[in-house]
Amino acid sequence: MSQILSPLQLLLRMSTMILLLLLSVGNAGSQPGMAPPRHRLSCVRCCGPSEQPVSIISQRSARMSPHLQYSLPKIQPTINITILKGEKGEMGERGSPGAVGKAGEPGQRGLSGRKGQKGQPGPQGHSCKQLFAAFSVGRRKALHSSHYFQHVTFDTEFVNLYQHFNMFTGKFFCYVPGVYYFSLNVHTWNFKETYVHLMRNEEAVAILYAQPSDRSIMQSQSLMLELQEEDEVWVRMFKRERENAIYSEESDVYIIFNGHLIKPTLE
């Protein structure tokens, strides 16, 4: 048997059907493919006072990306050379010589060596071929007369023509007979006596003398002598009761002995 609805129930069912029909018509009238309503984006800090603005899209992609972006550190490998260094090998064969380089600049001049002693006079030549003779020598060292007679030698040579003056013995040897001129200059010593002989062979032919004084002075003596071949002329100091000395020093020459031929015997 069919159920008989009351008018109130029938009205409710009809209202429900009309409401469903209206809802279906509303859904059918809407346009397909419409995007759903957008949600409002939250505020994101984009930059500071000294920073550049960052794009919102880049921030959104960074948040939506499943992989985080990190800056990779730079790796610089270090190799320990001492580990790779092997044992020292054997020396190889000598190679060919290279090209000769340029000559270097000359070095500084070395120190001067000590002056050697003069040798003995050579053999005598013919007197007719030697018509000249001259010498000039000096002494840079002071000398005290320690003996009764003290031979004076010389250490500085100014002129020694044909080597007639022997620097080792301190004597002038006559190779050319004739008339000669000789001069002797010495420097006295304070408070000491100066007594010097100018000798020809073993004969004192002239004297140079100065008494002791509180002031040192230069004294000189000169003379001419006629010499024969093989005569010798030299200087000696003569000591008496007082101390006898002549003065000189390394930086200067105070004692000088000169001689030269004026006129040879054979012309």
Side-chain angles (χ1 to χ4, degrees):
M1 258 178 100
S2 60
Q3 186 179 0
I4 300 173
L5 299 177
S6 63
L8 179 60
Q9 291 179 345
L10 184 61
L11 180 62
L12 290 175
R13 286 185 177 185
M14 290 179 64
S15 299
T16 302
M17 291 176 64
I18 293 171
L19 180 62
L20 292 174
L21 182 62
L22 291 175
L23 290 175
S24 61
V25 171
N27 293 332
S30 61
Q31 298 179 359
M34 293 295 291
R38 298 182 179 179
H39 298 281
R40 185 178 180 182
L41 298 177
S42 60
C43 293
V44 179
R45 179 178 175 273
C46 62
C47 62
S50 60
E51 298 176 353
Q52 295 294 332
V54 181
S55 174
I56 298 176
I57 299 175
S58 63
Q59 292 181 357
R60 182 189 304 170
S61 61
R63 291 196 305 271
M64 295 177 63
S65 175
H67 303 287
L68 297 178
Q69 297 181 359
Y70 297 97
S71 60
L72 298 178
K74 294 182 179 180
I75 301 176
Q76 296 182 353
T78 302
I79 301 176
N80 191 351
I81 302 299
T82 58
I83 299 176
L84 302 179
K85 184 177 180 181
E87 296 181 355
K88 185 176 180 180
E90 297 181 357
M91 183 179 294
E93 297 181 359
R94 186 171 183 177
S96 302
V100 179
K102 296 182 179 180
E105 298 181 357
Q108 297 181 355
R109 186 174 181 179
L111 300 176
S112 301
R114 298 182 62 183
K115 184 177 180 181
Q117 296 180 351
K118 291 289 183 180
Q120 296 295 331
Q124 182 179 357
H126 196 278
S127 59
C128 295
K129 297 182 180 180
Q130 295 183 355
L131 301 181
F132 302 95
F135 72 92
S136 178
V137 294
R139 181 182 176 91
R140 294 181 181 271
K141 295 182 180 180
L143 183 63
H144 285 78
S145 179
S146 56
H147 303 286
Y148 189 69
F149 293 117
Q150 180 75 36
H151 188 182
V152 179
T153 57
F154 300 87
D155 53 20
T156 303
E157 183 182 87
F158 299 108
V159 175
N160 193 4
L161 190 62
Y162 305 123
Q163 301 298 310
H164 289 180
F165 189 91
N166 191 327
M167 295 293 293
F168 183 76
T169 62
K171 294 182 178 181
F172 170 76
F173 190 87
C174 178
Y175 291 102
V176 183
V179 178
Y180 286 79
Y181 175 83
F182 297 95
S183 65
L184 177 64
N185 299 274
V186 300
H187 195 283
T188 64
W189 204 313
N190 295 1
F191 306 106
K192 297 180 182 180
E193 189 178 50
T194 302
Y195 204 137
V196 181
H197 288 158
L198 189 62
M199 305 291 295
R200 178 175 58 185
N201 300 325
E202 299 300 323
E203 176 189 7
V205 293
I207 295 174
L208 188 152
Y209 179 77
Q211 292 182 347
S213 174
D214 58 348
R215 296 181 60 186
S216 59
I217 58 175
M218 294 292 296
Q219 289 282 88
S220 64
Q221 180 65 280
S222 60
L223 77 163
M224 287 191 296
L225 293 174
E226 185 175 359
L227 300 181
Q228 303 297 323
E229 189 174 353
E230 297 184 1
D231 281 347
E232 293 178 335
V233 180
W234 50 288
V235 179
R236 76 179 182 186
M237 297 178 66
F238 174 59
K239 181 181 180 182
R240 300 191 297 179
E241 303 83 25
R242 300 174 181 177
E243 186 178 8
N244 188 12
I246 51 179
Y247 177 81
S248 190
E249 59 185 24
E250 292 288 343
S251 60
D252 211 340
V253 182
Y254 289 88
I255 304 169
I256 298 177
F257 183 31
N258 301 322
H260 65 275
L261 177 65
I262 296 177
K263 182 181 183 298
T265 302
L266 299 176
E267 290 183 337

